[in-house]
Amino acid sequence: MALLFTLLLTAAACILGYFLVDFGRQDFLRETEAAIDIEIRTLANLESHTPAAITAYITRREAHDKTVKFRYENERGAWLAGTIDPVPTALKKLTEGVLRFDWQADSGQETFAAKIHTFVDGSRIIVARNIDDLIASYHRLQYFSVLIMFLMLGVILVSFGISYFVVSRINRIAATAQQIVDTGDLSRRIGIDSEWDDLSNLSRVLNGFLERIEILMHSAREVSNSIAHDLRTPLAGLRGEIETLKGGKASDEKIDAILADADRILSIFQAILRIANLQRASREQFRSHVDLAHILHDVTELYEPLAQEKQIHLSSDIMDSAVVTGDSDLLFQLLANLFDNAIKFSPPGSSITLQLAQSNDRIIFRISDGGPGIPDHEKEKVFRHFYRGDSSRHTPGSGLGLSLAKAIAEYHGAQIMLEDANPGLCVKITF
Amino acid sequence: MKFLIIEDDAKIRTYVERGLKEAGHAVDTAADGETGLHLAMQEKYDALVIDRMLPGLDGLAIIRTLRGSGNMTGILILSALGDVDDRVKGIRTGGDDYLVKPFAFIELLARVEALGKRASPVAAQTNILQAADLEMDLLARKVRRSGKVIELQQREFRLLEYLLKFKGQLVTRTMLLEGVWDYHFDPQTSVIDVHISRLRKKLGDTDNKLIKTVRGAGYIIEDSH
């Protein structure tokens, strides 16, 4: 492709160059020759074809027009009239029938084109016209032609470079894409070796695109791995329990226990589905204005007996009204999950602090517990599906509570962050 | 009570039908939307169980048609969809309750019985609820047990009211959360249990005889004592 493009451009440049040179050479004398021919025709057609009449015409013309010069001579070549005398020695043939000579004028050397006409009586006339301007413009034309040729050459080289560059870039992008298709290896990236051009920009965008896909694929794989791993244990347990029923008669209690296990597994699936649905749900549908303060009061009321039972003190600082757009059931779920965690991890006798406050134009919710807290290196990980920190390994729970909390927060365009409460954990949600 | 099940999945249909019959109810079934709608328009039911996705006529379309023709029978929507907005959509269309598959049969039973009970004219206009020696005056907001006044907080009052309204029927934990707290969510721990045990303590129900626990399901206040 690059080669074909360059060849076409070269051909176009050659044609243009040839046309320019040829046009200049052919035409530049034509007008001068025509003007000389007119003079000759006028002289030949003079009414009284006498040397005196011719001399008079010549004198008048020469006085009138500085660019024309004449020489009138008799059949033996002796001078009769006109300024050309003697006949210049260096007469050169310019084109067919036209001669060229240099003339030493007062202002310097001038160049003339001339034609010789022989009358019937054998006398001759030389008609010459100054062609300095013509020669100058001919030179200019030649100069520009060469310049254009060089420019064209430049264009050809640059275009060859560009097309070679573009094509090789595109080929490289295609090759990388093909490699990804062939190997399924999403970690490959398109090489970028310059900064300024559009194709490098395209490559950068495509690399970003690949990275996003890789992250998504990675998290999808991680989720499916953890599902496979974390659900295998309870399922294996369930299988074992069913196996023990073989042969004997199952008591209602035993069946209830097995059903409870099955329900727990189902509820884990339910939670995973819910998180997935939240992550792809559109935010606009069925969202109304809800009062976070009101929801928080309800959650507090629901969980207070649970805290009291564990002798955990609840203290709260909740603003009167905090209206956000959202789904009250989901927000309740979010806060309930955080309460649940806080109560679960707080030792008896400690306290949980709630705060709902306005900061600038954001609403900030904080819940701090008196538990062991989460070390910095685990703060990101606890939001992953089924992730259990060291301190929570032996507490009951599905390992999905914070994943769901995060999904709900993000569905509402809120950020959820973990901070240190010294001791304990502070979960901060910025709406 | 008499129920109609409109469900295309034969396995779920027979499972629900058998369960409801074992619980002493009369059951009609329909495997597709048109038959179901036809039955629902002709017969008088205490509650309808309608699957959301049906061949022929969609579940939500049936509900819309029934409500449009003035039929206000209680409707429980069954759905395999667990999307954020599906529940809201189902309730807005005119459904009274919503249950996501897979579900425990006892949850479905408790919910359809509650729907059927709500429709019965006896339960509607009483201001005094009673069970054994417990008496609840909804207007005066007073609770007495053996004549002795018991002070309850507002939420405890509503909890007891809900249990008494469905006296003789199982009330599941999620039903209590939805009916008393007005939120639909999945509690990770059984927070409700703590509230029930508080209520029992206040009512002097030390041996759990008044409010009985149904293992793995919920609570019940028995009809006759």
Side-chain angles (χ1 to χ4, degrees), chain B residues 16-38:
Chain B
V16 173
E17 184 188 6
R18 207 182 54 217
L20 287 174
K21 278 182 174 162
E22 272 170 17
H25 300 294
V27 183
D28 283 346
T29 58
D32 64 272
E34 273 95 6
T35 325
L37 181 61
H38 191 71

mmCIF file with all atom_site columns, all heavy atoms in Angstrom, chain B residues 16-38:
data_model
loop_
_atom_site.group_PDB
_atom_site.id
_atom_site.type_symbol
_atom_site.label_atom_id
_atom_site.label_alt_id
_atom_site.label_comp_id
_atom_site.label_asym_id
_atom_site.label_entity_id
_atom_site.label_seq_id
_atom_site.pdbx_PDB_ins_code
_atom_site.Cartn_x
_atom_site.Cartn_y
_atom_site.Cartn_z
_atom_site.occupancy
_atom_site.B_iso_or_equiv
_atom_site.pdbx_formal_charge
_atom_site.auth_seq_id
_atom_site.auth_comp_id
_atom_site.auth_asym_id
_atom_site.auth_atom_id
_atom_site.pdbx_PDB_model_num
ATOM 1   N N   . VAL B 1 16 ? -45.707 -27.007 45.254 1.00 0.00 ? 16 VAL B N   1
ATOM 2   C CA  . VAL B 1 16 ? -46.485 -26.005 45.987 1.00 0.00 ? 16 VAL B CA  1
ATOM 3   C C   . VAL B 1 16 ? -47.912 -26.519 46.230 1.00 0.00 ? 16 VAL B C   1
ATOM 4   O O   . VAL B 1 16 ? -48.456 -26.388 47.332 1.00 0.00 ? 16 VAL B O   1
ATOM 5   C CB  . VAL B 1 16 ? -46.515 -24.656 45.223 1.00 0.00 ? 16 VAL B CB  1
ATOM 6   C CG1 . VAL B 1 16 ? -47.472 -23.676 45.898 1.00 0.00 ? 16 VAL B CG1 1
ATOM 7   C CG2 . VAL B 1 16 ? -45.123 -24.047 45.148 1.00 0.00 ? 16 VAL B CG2 1
ATOM 8   N N   . GLU B 1 17 ? -48.474 -27.161 45.181 1.00 0.00 ? 17 GLU B N   1
ATOM 9   C CA  . GLU B 1 17 ? -49.841 -27.673 45.293 1.00 0.00 ? 17 GLU B CA  1
ATOM 10  C C   . GLU B 1 17 ? -49.950 -28.704 46.419 1.00 0.00 ? 17 GLU B C   1
ATOM 11  O O   . GLU B 1 17 ? -50.831 -28.619 47.285 1.00 0.00 ? 17 GLU B O   1
ATOM 12  C CB  . GLU B 1 17 ? -50.263 -28.319 43.964 1.00 0.00 ? 17 GLU B CB  1
ATOM 13  C CG  . GLU B 1 17 ? -51.704 -28.793 43.959 1.00 0.00 ? 17 GLU B CG  1
ATOM 14  C CD  . GLU B 1 17 ? -52.044 -29.596 42.702 1.00 0.00 ? 17 GLU B CD  1
ATOM 15  O OE1 . GLU B 1 17 ? -51.127 -29.879 41.907 1.00 0.00 ? 17 GLU B OE1 1
ATOM 16  O OE2 . GLU B 1 17 ? -53.225 -29.925 42.528 1.00 0.00 ? 17 GLU B OE2 1
ATOM 17  N N   . ARG B 1 18 ? -48.999 -29.647 46.412 1.00 0.00 ? 18 ARG B N   1
ATOM 18  C CA  . ARG B 1 18 ? -49.020 -30.695 47.423 1.00 0.00 ? 18 ARG B CA  1
ATOM 19  C C   . ARG B 1 18 ? -48.873 -30.099 48.820 1.00 0.00 ? 18 ARG B C   1
ATOM 20  O O   . ARG B 1 18 ? -49.599 -30.455 49.751 1.00 0.00 ? 18 ARG B O   1
ATOM 21  C CB  . ARG B 1 18 ? -47.896 -31.697 47.141 1.00 0.00 ? 18 ARG B CB  1
ATOM 22  C CG  . ARG B 1 18 ? -48.197 -33.095 47.669 1.00 0.00 ? 18 ARG B CG  1
ATOM 23  C CD  . ARG B 1 18 ? -47.039 -34.038 47.420 1.00 0.00 ? 18 ARG B CD  1
ATOM 24  N NE  . ARG B 1 18 ? -45.791 -33.511 47.951 1.00 0.00 ? 18 ARG B NE  1
ATOM 25  C CZ  . ARG B 1 18 ? -44.600 -33.658 47.371 1.00 0.00 ? 18 ARG B CZ  1
ATOM 26  N NH1 . ARG B 1 18 ? -44.507 -34.284 46.219 1.00 0.00 ? 18 ARG B NH1 1
ATOM 27  N NH2 . ARG B 1 18 ? -43.509 -33.171 47.930 1.00 0.00 ? 18 ARG B NH2 1
ATOM 28  N N   . GLY B 1 19 ? -47.921 -29.176 48.939 1.00 0.00 ? 19 GLY B N   1
ATOM 29  C CA  . GLY B 1 19 ? -47.666 -28.542 50.238 1.00 0.00 ? 19 GLY B CA  1
ATOM 30  C C   . GLY B 1 19 ? -48.899 -27.839 50.777 1.00 0.00 ? 19 GLY B C   1
ATOM 31  O O   . GLY B 1 19 ? -49.272 -27.989 51.943 1.00 0.00 ? 19 GLY B O   1
ATOM 32  N N   . LEU B 1 20 ? -49.557 -27.073 49.898 1.00 0.00 ? 20 LEU B N   1
ATOM 33  C CA  . LEU B 1 20 ? -50.728 -26.310 50.337 1.00 0.00 ? 20 LEU B CA  1
ATOM 34  C C   . LEU B 1 20 ? -51.879 -27.244 50.704 1.00 0.00 ? 20 LEU B C   1
ATOM 35  O O   . LEU B 1 20 ? -52.611 -26.994 51.666 1.00 0.00 ? 20 LEU B O   1
ATOM 36  C CB  . LEU B 1 20 ? -51.168 -25.337 49.237 1.00 0.00 ? 20 LEU B CB  1
ATOM 37  C CG  . LEU B 1 20 ? -50.262 -24.110 49.015 1.00 0.00 ? 20 LEU B CG  1
ATOM 38  C CD1 . LEU B 1 20 ? -50.733 -23.308 47.809 1.00 0.00 ? 20 LEU B CD1 1
ATOM 39  C CD2 . LEU B 1 20 ? -50.225 -23.225 50.249 1.00 0.00 ? 20 LEU B CD2 1
ATOM 40  N N   . LYS B 1 21 ? -52.018 -28.343 49.947 1.00 0.00 ? 21 LYS B N   1
ATOM 41  C CA  . LYS B 1 21 ? -53.086 -29.296 50.248 1.00 0.00 ? 21 LYS B CA  1
ATOM 42  C C   . LYS B 1 21 ? -52.829 -29.981 51.591 1.00 0.00 ? 21 LYS B C   1
ATOM 43  O O   . LYS B 1 21 ? -53.747 -30.182 52.387 1.00 0.00 ? 21 LYS B O   1
ATOM 44  C CB  . LYS B 1 21 ? -53.206 -30.340 49.133 1.00 0.00 ? 21 LYS B CB  1
ATOM 45  C CG  . LYS B 1 21 ? -54.024 -29.800 47.963 1.00 0.00 ? 21 LYS B CG  1
ATOM 46  C CD  . LYS B 1 21 ? -54.191 -30.836 46.870 1.00 0.00 ? 21 LYS B CD  1
ATOM 47  C CE  . LYS B 1 21 ? -55.127 -30.305 45.789 1.00 0.00 ? 21 LYS B CE  1
ATOM 48  N NZ  . LYS B 1 21 ? -54.981 -31.071 44.535 1.00 0.00 ? 21 LYS B NZ  1
ATOM 49  N N   . GLU B 1 22 ? -51.533 -30.318 51.838 1.00 0.00 ? 22 GLU B N   1
ATOM 50  C CA  . GLU B 1 22 ? -51.169 -30.936 53.112 1.00 0.00 ? 22 GLU B CA  1
ATOM 51  C C   . GLU B 1 22 ? -51.469 -30.003 54.274 1.00 0.00 ? 22 GLU B C   1
ATOM 52  O O   . GLU B 1 22 ? -51.800 -30.439 55.378 1.00 0.00 ? 22 GLU B O   1
ATOM 53  C CB  . GLU B 1 22 ? -49.682 -31.301 53.131 1.00 0.00 ? 22 GLU B CB  1
ATOM 54  C CG  . GLU B 1 22 ? -49.422 -32.688 52.569 1.00 0.00 ? 22 GLU B CG  1
ATOM 55  C CD  . GLU B 1 22 ? -47.928 -32.952 52.367 1.00 0.00 ? 22 GLU B CD  1
ATOM 56  O OE1 . GLU B 1 22 ? -47.102 -32.204 52.953 1.00 0.00 ? 22 GLU B OE1 1
ATOM 57  O OE2 . GLU B 1 22 ? -47.597 -33.880 51.612 1.00 0.00 ? 22 GLU B OE2 1
ATOM 58  N N   . ALA B 1 23 ? -51.355 -28.692 54.012 1.00 0.00 ? 23 ALA B N   1
ATOM 59  C CA  . ALA B 1 23 ? -51.642 -27.703 55.054 1.00 0.00 ? 23 ALA B CA  1
ATOM 60  C C   . ALA B 1 23 ? -53.155 -27.477 55.181 1.00 0.00 ? 23 ALA B C   1
ATOM 61  O O   . ALA B 1 23 ? -53.597 -26.622 55.945 1.00 0.00 ? 23 ALA B O   1
ATOM 62  C CB  . ALA B 1 23 ? -50.927 -26.391 54.742 1.00 0.00 ? 23 ALA B CB  1
ATOM 63  N N   . GLY B 1 24 ? -53.959 -28.228 54.401 1.00 0.00 ? 24 GLY B N   1
ATOM 64  C CA  . GLY B 1 24 ? -55.408 -28.174 54.554 1.00 0.00 ? 24 GLY B CA  1
ATOM 65  C C   . GLY B 1 24 ? -56.109 -27.146 53.695 1.00 0.00 ? 24 GLY B C   1
ATOM 66  O O   . GLY B 1 24 ? -57.202 -26.689 54.014 1.00 0.00 ? 24 GLY B O   1
ATOM 67  N N   . HIS B 1 25 ? -55.503 -26.765 52.590 1.00 0.00 ? 25 HIS B N   1
ATOM 68  C CA  . HIS B 1 25 ? -56.124 -25.774 51.721 1.00 0.00 ? 25 HIS B CA  1
ATOM 69  C C   . HIS B 1 25 ? -56.617 -26.406 50.422 1.00 0.00 ? 25 HIS B C   1
ATOM 70  O O   . HIS B 1 25 ? -56.147 -27.468 50.031 1.00 0.00 ? 25 HIS B O   1
ATOM 71  C CB  . HIS B 1 25 ? -55.136 -24.652 51.395 1.00 0.00 ? 25 HIS B CB  1
ATOM 72  C CG  . HIS B 1 25 ? -54.643 -23.936 52.603 1.00 0.00 ? 25 HIS B CG  1
ATOM 73  N ND1 . HIS B 1 25 ? -55.453 -23.166 53.408 1.00 0.00 ? 25 HIS B ND1 1
ATOM 74  C CD2 . HIS B 1 25 ? -53.411 -23.885 53.170 1.00 0.00 ? 25 HIS B CD2 1
ATOM 75  C CE1 . HIS B 1 25 ? -54.754 -22.674 54.400 1.00 0.00 ? 25 HIS B CE1 1
ATOM 76  N NE2 . HIS B 1 25 ? -53.508 -23.093 54.288 1.00 0.00 ? 25 HIS B NE2 1
ATOM 77  N N   . ALA B 1 26 ? -57.556 -25.722 49.775 1.00 0.00 ? 26 ALA B N   1
ATOM 78  C CA  . ALA B 1 26 ? -58.003 -26.155 48.456 1.00 0.00 ? 26 ALA B CA  1
ATOM 79  C C   . ALA B 1 26 ? -57.148 -25.444 47.424 1.00 0.00 ? 26 ALA B C   1
ATOM 80  O O   . ALA B 1 26 ? -56.862 -24.260 47.565 1.00 0.00 ? 26 ALA B O   1
ATOM 81  C CB  . ALA B 1 26 ? -59.465 -25.794 48.255 1.00 0.00 ? 26 ALA B CB  1
ATOM 82  N N   . VAL B 1 27 ? -56.725 -26.175 46.397 1.00 0.00 ? 27 VAL B N   1
ATOM 83  C CA  . VAL B 1 27 ? -55.792 -25.590 45.432 1.00 0.00 ? 27 VAL B CA  1
ATOM 84  C C   . VAL B 1 27 ? -56.230 -25.853 43.994 1.00 0.00 ? 27 VAL B C   1
ATOM 85  O O   . VAL B 1 27 ? -56.575 -26.971 43.636 1.00 0.00 ? 27 VAL B O   1
ATOM 86  C CB  . VAL B 1 27 ? -54.367 -26.167 45.629 1.00 0.00 ? 27 VAL B CB  1
ATOM 87  C CG1 . VAL B 1 27 ? -53.391 -25.492 44.673 1.00 0.00 ? 27 VAL B CG1 1
ATOM 88  C CG2 . VAL B 1 27 ? -53.900 -25.987 47.060 1.00 0.00 ? 27 VAL B CG2 1
ATOM 89  N N   . ASP B 1 28 ? -56.262 -24.818 43.175 1.00 0.00 ? 28 ASP B N   1
ATOM 90  C CA  . ASP B 1 28 ? -56.404 -24.967 41.724 1.00 0.00 ? 28 ASP B CA  1
ATOM 91  C C   . ASP B 1 28 ? -55.070 -24.606 41.096 1.00 0.00 ? 28 ASP B C   1
ATOM 92  O O   . ASP B 1 28 ? -54.335 -23.766 41.627 1.00 0.00 ? 28 ASP B O   1
ATOM 93  C CB  . ASP B 1 28 ? -57.477 -24.011 41.179 1.00 0.00 ? 28 ASP B CB  1
ATOM 94  C CG  . ASP B 1 28 ? -58.883 -24.530 41.487 1.00 0.00 ? 28 ASP B CG  1
ATOM 95  O OD1 . ASP B 1 28 ? -58.990 -25.717 41.860 1.00 0.00 ? 28 ASP B OD1 1
ATOM 96  O OD2 . ASP B 1 28 ? -59.838 -23.742 41.381 1.00 0.00 ? 28 ASP B OD2 1
ATOM 97  N N   . THR B 1 29 ? -54.771 -25.221 39.949 1.00 0.00 ? 29 THR B N   1
ATOM 98  C CA  . THR B 1 29 ? -53.509 -24.873 39.288 1.00 0.00 ? 29 THR B CA  1
ATOM 99  C C   . THR B 1 29 ? -53.749 -24.538 37.823 1.00 0.00 ? 29 THR B C   1
ATOM 100 O O   . THR B 1 29 ? -54.714 -24.992 37.210 1.00 0.00 ? 29 THR B O   1
ATOM 101 C CB  . THR B 1 29 ? -52.488 -26.031 39.348 1.00 0.00 ? 29 THR B CB  1
ATOM 102 O OG1 . THR B 1 29 ? -53.071 -27.179 38.727 1.00 0.00 ? 29 THR B OG1 1
ATOM 103 C CG2 . THR B 1 29 ? -52.112 -26.354 40.773 1.00 0.00 ? 29 THR B CG2 1
ATOM 104 N N   . ALA B 1 30 ? -52.851 -23.739 37.291 1.00 0.00 ? 30 ALA B N   1
ATOM 105 C CA  . ALA B 1 30 ? -52.871 -23.428 35.862 1.00 0.00 ? 30 ALA B CA  1
ATOM 106 C C   . ALA B 1 30 ? -51.431 -23.382 35.386 1.00 0.00 ? 30 ALA B C   1
ATOM 107 O O   . ALA B 1 30 ? -50.554 -22.883 36.089 1.00 0.00 ? 30 ALA B O   1
ATOM 108 C CB  . ALA B 1 30 ? -53.549 -22.086 35.622 1.00 0.00 ? 30 ALA B CB  1
ATOM 109 N N   . ALA B 1 31 ? -51.181 -23.950 34.189 1.00 0.00 ? 31 ALA B N   1
ATOM 110 C CA  . ALA B 1 31 ? -49.808 -24.037 33.700 1.00 0.00 ? 31 ALA B CA  1
ATOM 111 C C   . ALA B 1 31 ? -49.446 -22.887 32.766 1.00 0.00 ? 31 ALA B C   1
ATOM 112 O O   . ALA B 1 31 ? -48.283 -22.701 32.429 1.00 0.00 ? 31 ALA B O   1
ATOM 113 C CB  . ALA B 1 31 ? -49.596 -25.371 32.996 1.00 0.00 ? 31 ALA B CB  1
ATOM 114 N N   . ASP B 1 32 ? -50.437 -22.128 32.334 1.00 0.00 ? 32 ASP B N   1
ATOM 115 C CA  . ASP B 1 32 ? -50.104 -20.984 31.481 1.00 0.00 ? 32 ASP B CA  1
ATOM 116 C C   . ASP B 1 32 ? -50.965 -19.772 31.831 1.00 0.00 ? 32 ASP B C   1
ATOM 117 O O   . ASP B 1 32 ? -51.955 -19.889 32.569 1.00 0.00 ? 32 ASP B O   1
ATOM 118 C CB  . ASP B 1 32 ? -50.275 -21.344 29.998 1.00 0.00 ? 32 ASP B CB  1
ATOM 119 C CG  . ASP B 1 32 ? -51.709 -21.648 29.657 1.00 0.00 ? 32 ASP B CG  1
ATOM 120 O OD1 . ASP B 1 32 ? -52.125 -22.827 29.792 1.00 0.00 ? 32 ASP B OD1 1
ATOM 121 O OD2 . ASP B 1 32 ? -52.433 -20.703 29.284 1.00 0.00 ? 32 ASP B OD2 1
ATOM 122 N N   . GLY B 1 33 ? -50.577 -18.645 31.292 1.00 0.00 ? 33 GLY B N   1
ATOM 123 C CA  . GLY B 1 33 ? -51.200 -17.381 31.655 1.00 0.00 ? 33 GLY B CA  1
ATOM 124 C C   . GLY B 1 33 ? -52.685 -17.291 31.345 1.00 0.00 ? 33 GLY B C   1
ATOM 125 O O   . GLY B 1 33 ? -53.477 -16.869 32.190 1.00 0.00 ? 33 GLY B O   1
ATOM 126 N N   . GLU B 1 34 ? -53.090 -17.725 30.129 1.00 0.00 ? 34 GLU B N   1
ATOM 127 C CA  . GLU B 1 34 ? -54.496 -17.589 29.726 1.00 0.00 ? 34 GLU B CA  1
ATOM 128 C C   . GLU B 1 34 ? -55.438 -18.387 30.633 1.00 0.00 ? 34 GLU B C   1
ATOM 129 O O   . GLU B 1 34 ? -56.432 -17.863 31.132 1.00 0.00 ? 34 GLU B O   1
ATOM 130 C CB  . GLU B 1 34 ? -54.707 -18.044 28.267 1.00 0.00 ? 34 GLU B CB  1
ATOM 131 C CG  . GLU B 1 34 ? -54.459 -16.954 27.242 1.00 0.00 ? 34 GLU B CG  1
ATOM 132 C CD  . GLU B 1 34 ? -53.043 -17.004 26.700 1.00 0.00 ? 34 GLU B CD  1
ATOM 133 O OE1 . GLU B 1 34 ? -52.316 -17.964 27.042 1.00 0.00 ? 34 GLU B OE1 1
ATOM 134 O OE2 . GLU B 1 34 ? -52.654 -16.088 25.950 1.00 0.00 ? 34 GLU B OE2 1
ATOM 135 N N   . THR B 1 35 ? -55.064 -19.692 30.834 1.00 0.00 ? 35 THR B N   1
ATOM 136 C CA  . THR B 1 35 ? -55.887 -20.546 31.703 1.00 0.00 ? 35 THR B CA  1
ATOM 137 C C   . THR B 1 35 ? -55.973 -19.926 33.101 1.00 0.00 ? 35 THR B C   1
ATOM 138 O O   . THR B 1 35 ? -57.053 -19.887 33.718 1.00 0.00 ? 35 THR B O   1
ATOM 139 C CB  . THR B 1 35 ? -55.262 -21.953 31.816 1.00 0.00 ? 35 THR B CB  1
ATOM 140 O OG1 . THR B 1 35 ? -54.665 -22.282 30.566 1.00 0.00 ? 35 THR B OG1 1
ATOM 141 C CG2 . THR B 1 35 ? -56.291 -22.979 32.191 1.00 0.00 ? 35 THR B CG2 1
ATOM 142 N N   . GLY B 1 36 ? -54.827 -19.465 33.569 1.00 0.00 ? 36 GLY B N   1
ATOM 143 C CA  . GLY B 1 36 ? -54.760 -18.886 34.909 1.00 0.00 ? 36 GLY B CA  1
ATOM 144 C C   . GLY B 1 36 ? -55.667 -17.685 35.053 1.00 0.00 ? 36 GLY B C   1
ATOM 145 O O   . GLY B 1 36 ? -56.445 -17.576 36.011 1.00 0.00 ? 36 GLY B O   1
ATOM 146 N N   . LEU B 1 37 ? -55.582 -16.793 34.077 1.00 0.00 ? 37 LEU B N   1
ATOM 147 C CA  . LEU B 1 37 ? -56.400 -15.575 34.131 1.00 0.00 ? 37 LEU B CA  1
ATOM 148 C C   . LEU B 1 37 ? -57.885 -15.930 34.097 1.00 0.00 ? 37 LEU B C   1
ATOM 149 O O   . LEU B 1 37 ? -58.699 -15.376 34.844 1.00 0.00 ? 37 LEU B O   1
ATOM 150 C CB  . LEU B 1 37 ? -56.045 -14.661 32.952 1.00 0.00 ? 37 LEU B CB  1
ATOM 151 C CG  . LEU B 1 37 ? -56.804 -13.329 32.881 1.00 0.00 ? 37 LEU B CG  1
ATOM 152 C CD1 . LEU B 1 37 ? -56.534 -12.483 34.120 1.00 0.00 ? 37 LEU B CD1 1
ATOM 153 C CD2 . LEU B 1 37 ? -56.441 -12.540 31.629 1.00 0.00 ? 37 LEU B CD2 1
ATOM 154 N N   . HIS B 1 38 ? -58.213 -16.907 33.228 1.00 0.00 ? 38 HIS B N   1
ATOM 155 C CA  . HIS B 1 38 ? -59.591 -17.354 33.096 1.00 0.00 ? 38 HIS B CA  1
ATOM 156 C C   . HIS B 1 38 ? -60.135 -17.846 34.440 1.00 0.00 ? 38 HIS B C   1
ATOM 157 O O   . HIS B 1 38 ? -61.200 -17.428 34.897 1.00 0.00 ? 38 HIS B O   1
ATOM 158 C CB  . HIS B 1 38 ? -59.650 -18.477 32.049 1.00 0.00 ? 38 HIS B CB  1
ATOM 159 C CG  . HIS B 1 38 ? -61.031 -18.844 31.642 1.00 0.00 ? 38 HIS B CG  1
ATOM 160 N ND1 . HIS B 1 38 ? -61.810 -18.003 30.874 1.00 0.00 ? 38 HIS B ND1 1
ATOM 161 C CD2 . HIS B 1 38 ? -61.772 -19.939 31.906 1.00 0.00 ? 38 HIS B CD2 1
ATOM 162 C CE1 . HIS B 1 38 ? -62.979 -18.574 30.686 1.00 0.00 ? 38 HIS B CE1 1
ATOM 163 N NE2 . HIS B 1 38 ? -62.994 -19.752 31.308 1.00 0.00 ? 38 HIS B NE2 1
#
